[in-house]
Amino acid sequence: MPLLSDEQLAEDAAKRAGFRLKTAGTKLNQEETTALERHCRNRGVTPGELIRQLILAELGRGTQSNASTDPVLTEVLGMRLFLVNALRPLAVGQKLTPEAFDKLLDEISSAKHELAAKIVSERRR
């Protein structure tokens, strides 16, 4: 009779899969180290935790374009799209109906994320 069942071995292997076993490091001069420590202290995290967050965020950018684009960029693009699309009809003397206004807002809400992801990916090339 085995001491551990296949089910127990599988559970243990699943737990170990989440363990952090590898390191990634860099060297910093004294000025850089001081700046990093100050920054971490202000954010309330350890240097290792901050560096891990930065690495994982950077790695996520290649696969999750919408989730990783800068929300400020996304909102600025949304405002630009809104102004251009709302002011154009008004500039030529057309009226913007409430239905058209609502439709415009809906279109911008979905388009701004796609446009921000496109700009970020083009900037990386």
Side-chain angles (χ1 to χ4, degrees), residues 2 17 28 33 40-41 56 80 82 87 90 98 100 106 112 114 123:
L28 303 173
T33 302
C40 289
R41 197 170 36 255
L56 293 176
R80 184 177 187 276
F82 173 76
L87 292 178
L90 297 175
D106 290 340
K112 67 183 179 181
E114 187 178 317
R123 191 182 324 155

Side-chain angles (χ1 to χ4, degrees), residues 3-125:
L3 294 175
L4 295 174
S5 67
D6 289 340
E7 186 177 296
Q8 183 63 41
L9 289 172
E11 286 179 23
D12 290 347
K15 288 178 187 175
R16 284 192 305 277
F19 291 171
R20 298 180 190 136
L21 303 173
K22 303 287 182 179
T23 61
T26 188
K27 293 184 179 186
L28 303 173
N29 64 31
Q30 187 60 44
E31 183 180 320
E32 293 166 335
T33 302
T34 302
L36 173 64
E37 290 169 347
R38 184 180 324 111
H39 182 75
C40 289
R41 197 170 36 255
N42 291 341
R43 291 188 63 175
V45 297
T46 64
E49 189 177 342
L50 175 71
I51 292 168
R52 182 173 182 275
Q53 290 170 358
L54 293 171
I55 290 170
L56 293 176
E58 184 64 27
L59 292 174
R61 287 192 180 134
T63 59
Q64 303 170 352
S65 58
N66 285 353
S68 65
T69 51
D70 182 5
V72 174
L73 173 64
T74 303
E75 290 305 314
V76 167
L77 288 170
M79 289 302 301
R80 184 177 187 276
L81 288 170
F82 173 76
L83 288 171
V84 167
N85 288 292
L87 292 178
R88 184 182 304 138
L90 297 175
V92 295
Q94 297 175 342
K95 293 197 181 227
L96 193 59
T97 66
E99 295 81 17
F101 183 82
D102 292 340
K103 183 180 178 195
L104 176 63
L105 290 179
D106 290 340
E107 290 172 359
I108 290 171
S109 290
S110 58
K112 67 183 179 181
H113 297 285
E114 187 178 317
L115 183 58
K118 181 180 175 185
I119 288 172
V120 168
S121 69
E122 286 176 358
R123 191 182 324 155
R124 285 197 187 114
R125 290 184 202 157

